[in-house]
Amino acid sequence: ILKDPEGTITGVLFSGEDITEREKAKRSLLETQHHLSTIYNTVGDIIYYLKVEGKNKYKFVYVNEMFCRATGLTMEQLAGKFVDEVIPEPSLTLVLSNYKKAIKEKNIVRWEEVTPYPTGIKTGEVSISPVYNSSGDCTYLVGSVHDITEQKKAEEEIRKLNSELEIRVIERTAELEKANKELEELNDVFVGREMRIIELKEEVARLKNKLKE
């Protein structure tokens, strides 16, 4: 508001800022995030995004729908939670160790993990990749998990069946060996009897010949 020396309003001065480009950039960012979320939710693997908030402190900032379906945890149970509030021991110690390794080596780290969740015990092939800012500090970790629970169950079932088959083969072999031994013993008995009969017949014939003399 502009006033003269007597205090009378003589005009109004307006100032403004063109935020068109800022709004365009904001909308573009939101669209990109939406597209990425759509992509992440259509893949078959678990995908999650962690914010690094200090030594061994990692907070969930995003998980895809597969994470919830596989674990039985809800978005509400995961949003804003730290890793140590979600992943139980003994898996937690392994997980934190590999996060630290990925950050230190500045490289992707992979491992196999077995963890109990509401949906049951899950086995997954996990990979974690560190993300760094312009200052060289690790600010985020991007993780993915390929669920191999059913594969492991099938492999265990095959091992179990093979073990049972091996035991049956050993038992059957032992039975056959026992049967063969019994047959050999019977054969020896019969052969011995036949030899004895032949000997007796020869003795009878000898005695008959002697009586004729």
Side-chain angles (χ1 to χ4, degrees), residues 53-66:
E53 295 199 349
K55 186 177 181 181
N56 283 340
K57 298 298 290 182
Y58 310 96
K59 181 184 289 185
F60 284 99
V61 294
Y62 174 82
V63 298
N64 67 346
E65 292 177 1
M66 181 54 71

Side-chain angles (χ1 to χ4, degrees), residues 2-144:
L2 302 176
K3 297 181 180 180
D4 60 18
E6 287 75 26
T8 303
I9 297 175
T10 58
V12 178
L13 181 64
F14 293 94
S15 66
E17 179 183 0
D18 187 353
I19 60 172
T20 304
E21 293 303 318
R22 184 189 302 173
E23 286 298 314
K24 285 182 178 179
K26 183 179 179 180
R27 285 197 297 270
S28 177
L29 177 61
L30 290 174
E31 288 178 2
T32 300
Q33 290 176 338
H34 175 72
H35 292 326
L36 287 175
S37 179
T38 300
I39 293 171
Y40 293 155
N41 286 327
T42 57
V43 299
D45 286 347
I46 291 170
I47 296 176
Y48 57 96
Y49 202 46
L50 301 171
K51 185 178 181 181
V52 181
E53 295 199 349
K55 186 177 181 181
N56 283 340
K57 298 298 290 182
Y58 310 96
K59 181 184 289 185
F60 284 99
V61 294
Y62 174 82
V63 298
N64 67 346
E65 292 177 1
M66 181 54 71
F67 193 116
C68 297
R69 288 201 297 270
T71 63
L73 299 171
T74 65
M75 290 291 185
E76 291 72 21
Q77 290 174 301
L78 294 166
K81 295 295 180 65
F82 286 97
V83 168
D84 56 8
E85 296 177 287
V86 176
I87 301 176
E89 290 288 8
S91 300
L92 179 61
T93 298
L94 174 64
V95 166
L96 294 178
S97 173
N98 283 316
Y99 287 178
K100 185 177 180 180
K101 181 179 179 182
I103 294 172
K104 181 180 179 180
E105 298 181 357
K106 297 184 178 182
N107 202 359
I108 297 173
V109 175
R110 297 179 175 86
W111 69 95
E112 187 174 297
E113 181 183 322
V114 180
T115 307
Y117 285 110
T119 52
I121 296 177
K122 294 293 181 178
T123 303
E125 293 175 340
V126 187
S127 66
I128 198 76
S129 178
V131 178
Y132 297 86
N133 60 18
S134 58
S135 301
D137 299 318
C138 182
T139 53
Y140 292 93
L141 292 173
V142 180
S144 66

